[in-house]
Amino acid sequence: QVQVAESGGGSVQVGGSLRLSCTASGYSYRGYSMGWFRQAPGKEREGVACIDRIGNEHYADSVKGRFTISQDNALGYLQMTSVKPEDTATYYCAADQTMWCGLREHNFGYWGQGTQVTVSS
């Protein structure tokens, strides 16, 4: 059973930076694809970024050029820069053992509990 956990959330000012971390524990010699999703109050959860097992990255249009996803074996990161108030949300890390990734929830079978990111002006 794969367990996923996020860390690194907190408060940040508009225009600032924050890095979220994700760990996926559980044996998988094939590695993982990883994704980041977020859910703002009153809104549906949306895909932010994902990286597949061979390193291809995909981003939502709203974060392109500002967020960077990376992965090192079972460790994943989301580097957030030039943050905006609309980036305020609970951020979830997700993992799966499939080769490819996408920004839809059904692409991932394992989820973390979420970490809160609040952007203030």
Side-chain angles (χ1 to χ4, degrees):
Q1 181 71 17
V2 177
Q3 293 184 329
V4 178
E6 311 91 342
S7 61
S11 296
V12 59
Q13 291 190 327
V14 170
S17 299
L18 196 67
R19 189 176 81 160
L20 305 181
S21 300
C22 176
T23 58
S25 61
Y27 176 72
S28 174
Y29 68 94
R30 298 177 297 173
Y32 304 98
S33 58
M34 280 189 174
W36 289 94
F37 292 73
R38 67 186 181 187
Q39 186 169 23
K43 295 188 176 181
E44 294 186 353
R45 189 155 58 181
E46 62 175 356
V48 175
C50 73
I51 184 167
D52 64 29
R53 282 169 46 195
I54 59 172
N56 295 311
E57 303 167 24
H58 304 276
Y59 296 94
D61 288 342
S62 59
V63 305
K64 278 181 183 176
R66 300 190 298 119
F67 291 8
T68 303
I69 190 171
S70 59
Q71 183 186 27
D72 182 6
N73 292 323
L75 296 174
Y77 304 96
L78 184 69
Q79 179 68 51
M80 305 167 61
T81 63
S82 302
V83 296
K84 305 175 181 180
E86 51 264 42
D87 294 323
T88 294
T90 300
Y91 283 72
Y92 298 88
C93 179
D96 205 279
Q97 294 170 356
T98 55
M99 177 65 77
W100 312 113
C101 74
L103 297 181
R104 304 251 182 205
E105 293 187 46
H106 70 256
N107 291 130
F108 296 93
Y110 307 104
W111 291 80
Q113 295 298 309
T115 185
Q116 178 66 36
V117 172
T118 302
V119 181
S120 58
S121 56

